[in-house]
Amino acid sequence: MSDLTVVAIDGPAGSGKSTIAKLLAAELDLGYLDTGAMYRAATFAALSSDVDLDDHDAVADLTVSLVLEMPPSGDVFVNGHDATGDIRGPEVTAAVSTVAAHADVRTELVRRQRAWATERGGGVLEGRDIGSVVFPDALVKIYLTASPEVRAARRAGEVAEADRDTVAADLARRDALDSQRRIDPLRQADDAIEIDTSHLSIGEVVALIVELVERARA
Ligand code: DC
């Protein structure tokens, strides 16, 4: 096992990853990294620069030179520009699965994710491939799920003017793209603990994971 205290939180969109990972990090006094925001930031940079999103080399070059700042406030600065709102907007959300499927984009962002955790002695990282690829020897690996109805309702609550059917269709499309892509698809690591959050409160899920971490540390 590595001597880093890494807690990997993976799962599909709307499974509760961000809310739970943030609270968990505060509770455990660890840093928190939203790796989805990194793929969104690369997508924002690609859309801003007019490169063809299917051009693997161009998008990869742009990712390698990306100046990305993600302070604990949750703001995201891309090449010096405050992109906090834009990275969650419909344009980036529609394009992010295309960018996240490029092998060299993933290599670069995974490198940055490992460096982030190594500098801090660990952290809570949330994404799709943290337990399977980024930190296969993480101290604790959690795979969060929730029913499609619950996930769509959660996302509809987050997105302005979005109706539930549109959100449900977008989630289904991204789930399919994220889990069927050739490189590092969304998948549950063999030794990850699955938690279905559909009928659990946020507090219950956080308490459950804190207990798992304390047991793993003992
Ligand atoms: O968690 P999110 O919805 O903000 O993630 C945005 C996209 O980034 C998601 O559709 C899949 C991709 N992603 C990924 O491929 N690997 C990660 N570790 C995190 C996100």
Side-chain angles (χ1 to χ4, degrees):
M1 199 199 300
S2 112
D3 47 5
L4 301 176
T5 304
V6 170
V7 182
I9 309 281
D10 291 303
S15 56
K17 289 192 306 290
S18 300
T19 310
I20 286 158
K22 265 183 233 163
L23 289 169
L24 186 68
E27 189 92 3
L28 296 170
D29 202 18
L30 293 170
Y32 158 72
L33 186 64
D34 173 1
T35 64
M38 299 173 77
Y39 289 93
R40 287 174 179 274
T43 306
F44 172 80
L47 290 171
S48 309
S49 75
D50 280 341
V51 300
D52 176 357
L53 292 186
D54 290 318
D55 183 341
H56 170 278
D57 292 352
V59 178
D61 284 352
L62 207 136
T63 305
V64 169
S65 60
L66 198 67
V67 180
L68 183 56
E69 291 160 86
M70 297 173 67
S73 60
D75 291 339
V76 176
F77 294 89
V78 179
N79 298 326
H81 173 96
D82 183 354
T84 312
D86 287 335
I87 64 161
R88 311 272 169 211
E91 265 189 281
V92 168
T93 298
V96 65
S97 294
T98 305
V99 169
H102 291 316
D104 288 349
V105 168
R106 303 199 69 81
T107 302
E108 172 60 15
L109 295 184
V110 167
R111 186 189 67 73
R112 293 190 192 203
Q113 290 155 19
R114 288 182 179 144
W116 177 89
T118 304
E119 277 163 22
R120 289 162 178 76
V124 178
L125 290 88
E126 64 139 302
R128 304 291 193 287
D129 60 343
I130 308 301
S132 55
V133 174
V134 185
F135 281 105
D137 57 353
L139 181 69
V140 172
K141 300 181 189 179
I142 304 294
Y143 191 85
L144 294 180
T145 60
S147 68
E149 296 75 27
V150 169
R151 295 199 287 123
R154 285 179 185 159
R155 276 286 148 116
E158 286 170 12
V159 184
E161 290 171 37
D163 69 87
R164 288 187 183 192
D165 291 346
T166 312
V167 171
D170 173 62
L171 280 183
R173 188 186 64 83
R174 278 207 296 142
D175 281 355
L177 288 170
D178 293 340
S179 32
Q180 287 159 20
R181 70 167 173 246
R182 201 168 49 81
I183 323 264
D184 304 343
L186 166 67
R187 78 173 176 85
Q188 181 171 352
D190 295 337
D191 50 351
I193 296 158
E194 180 173 334
I195 302 177
D196 184 339
T197 66
S198 305
H199 306 293
L200 293 175
S201 71
I202 292 165
E204 284 171 328
V205 179
V206 173
L208 193 61
I209 304 174
V210 167
E211 202 184 308
L212 291 167
V213 173
E214 281 169 357
R215 232 187 280 162
R217 272 171 159 171

